Amino acid sequence: MKTKPKPRGPLLGAHMSIAGGVGNALLHGKRVACEAIQIFTKSSRQWAGKPYTKEEIEQFAVNRRETGITTIIAHDSYLLNLGTPDAGLRKQSVAAFIDELERCEVLGVTHLVAHPGAHVGAGEIAGIKTIAKSLDQAHRACPGYATKITLEITAGQGSCLGYRFEQIGNIMDATKESERLRVCFDTEHAFASGYDIRTKEGYERTFAEFDEVIGIDRLAAFHLNDSKKEFNSRVDRHEHIGKGHIGVEAFRLLLNDQRFWGLPMCLETPKGPDLKEDQENLTLLRSLIGNGTPSPNALLLEGAETENR
């Protein structure tokens, strides 16, 4: 059996606009030397989107080959709430979510990152049950899909669930086809929800807990964002790398942790049309690789099977 080669580092990139056509995101990513990108599969501010044309799908594939950006993840619309107790809104959310999964599958996007959902006053236990029910419906509608639903750690604003590792673990346990689920670790969200990754000790403790509660093998993607707000604020406000309350050291530790080499790590920081901010953030991040001590618990990936990611 052939084994995949050992990754040489993390796959750094950013969320890219699909304005003018979904394939344009790859061209934008190439401009700032992305090794991976994240996209919306349609406008994040609308419930419905036009189906992709054959030409759009073909152009996406062409741009993928020509840019060399083969690792692409997607983020679902912020309108969706898979945990709402409102039956009408949940039905609409699940239908839109299934549509996004179908779009990902057509494009060959490996992971659809999703905020688990908000219980809107129904309580954590009820919310987790509702989210799992919604995920079950999506899985049933998309049998055999290569695209994996990838639950994102949240900051815990309002009644949003997924801000504690236990909540993500409980959602996965309550989902029937839980083997199809993966997790996205957002640095700002984790920091805002009480996981202090600023020091080596805090970083090691955070991922040891993640491994114990969820399983490190379930981690499939990262969002790299500093935080405008202080530790444990439960507020979702992204800042440029090194300019927020997290600081540079956490990113140095993460980028040199060989357990996560080969995984997409995408920025979700503010930027203008010239992508200057992405360029600056990526340059800083790349300067940290090899410029620090890797995690002592890092698992060397040579010869390791990574297909389940």
Side-chain angles (χ1 to χ4, degrees):
M1 177 184 288
K2 288 185 178 181
T3 57
K4 293 186 178 181
K6 176 184 175 182
R8 293 178 292 180
L11 299 178
L12 293 174
H15 186 102
M16 289 294 162
S17 170
I18 61 168
V22 67
N24 286 345
L26 289 152
L27 304 181
H28 299 322
K30 182 67 172 179
R31 283 171 54 195
V32 291
C34 287
E35 298 154 317
I37 63 168
Q38 178 177 271
I39 62 172
F40 289 126
T41 64
K42 58 180 180 60
S43 171
S44 63
R45 298 183 295 273
Q46 297 177 353
W47 281 101
K50 293 181 180 179
Y52 296 137
T53 64
K54 180 181 178 182
E55 290 73 24
E56 283 180 301
I57 296 169
E58 290 175 348
Q59 191 62 57
F60 187 86
V62 168
N63 290 358
R64 191 175 197 162
R65 289 194 300 271
E66 292 185 349
T67 61
I69 301 174
T70 58
T71 301
I72 304 159
I73 61 175
H75 198 299
D76 71 340
S77 169
Y78 297 127
L79 296 175
L80 309 185
N81 184 2
L82 300 179
T84 179
D86 182 310
L89 178 57
R90 194 179 75 82
K91 181 178 180 180
Q92 188 176 21
S93 295
V94 171
F97 191 64
I98 291 169
D99 175 64
E100 295 208 27
L101 280 169
E102 291 170 346
R103 289 169 179 268
C104 286
E105 190 75 5
V106 165
L107 295 176
V109 171
T110 57
H111 296 84
L112 177 58
V113 177
H115 292 183
H119 64 71
V120 200
E124 180 178 325
I125 294 174
I128 287 173
K129 184 177 180 180
T130 300
I131 292 167
K133 181 179 178 181
S134 297
L135 295 175
D136 285 341
Q137 286 181 261
H139 279 153
R140 283 197 303 272
C142 304
Y145 274 34
T147 301
K148 290 182 170 58
I149 297 171
T150 303
L151 302 174
E152 181 177 355
I153 304 297
T154 68
Q157 280 195 179
S159 66
C160 290
L161 294 169
Y163 64 91
R164 302 304 299 170
F165 297 157
E166 289 81 5
Q167 291 177 348
I168 296 286
N170 288 338
I171 290 168
M172 298 176 93
D173 288 344
T175 303
K176 292 177 181 177
E177 295 183 74
S178 62
E179 72 281 357
R180 296 174 65 180
L181 298 174
R182 297 293 183 269
V183 179
C184 175
F185 189 101
D186 185 306
T187 54
E188 194 280 334
H189 295 175
F191 178 75
S193 65
Y195 295 100
D196 195 346
I197 56 176
R198 291 173 292 186
T199 66
K200 186 175 181 179
E201 294 74 22
Y203 176 92
E204 294 294 341
R205 183 169 56 249
T206 294
F207 284 101
E209 184 177 340
F210 185 100
D211 192 31
E212 180 179 353
V213 176
I214 299 173
I216 213 77
D217 59 320
R218 294 293 194 116
L219 243 175
F222 286 83
H223 288 161
L224 302 185
N225 304 300
D226 210 321
S227 178
K228 284 184 179 293
K229 298 295 184 179
E230 63 278 1
F231 174 65
N232 206 21
S233 67
R234 297 278 293 274
V235 177
D236 185 357
R237 293 292 184 276
H238 299 181
E239 180 58 281
H240 296 294
I241 306 300
K243 295 183 178 180
H245 288 271
I246 297 178
V248 171
E249 185 58 25
F251 297 97
R252 188 194 314 276
L253 291 166
L254 178 58
L255 294 171
N256 287 287
D257 192 332
Q258 294 184 32
R259 291 175 295 182
F260 309 132
W261 284 10
L263 297 185
M265 297 186 174
C266 293
L267 295 163
E268 291 182 317
T269 44
K271 60 186 170 188
D274 62 357
L275 308 182
K276 177 184 175 183
E277 297 86 353
D278 280 350
Q279 183 111 42
E280 292 172 348
N281 283 316
L282 289 170
T283 296
L284 173 57
L285 289 169
R286 290 188 172 111
S287 75
L288 302 176
I289 301 174
N291 187 16
T293 304
S295 162
N297 295 326
L299 303 177
L300 296 179
L301 298 178
E302 186 154 26
E305 289 292 331
T306 57
E307 291 180 0
N308 65 331
R309 299 184 187 178

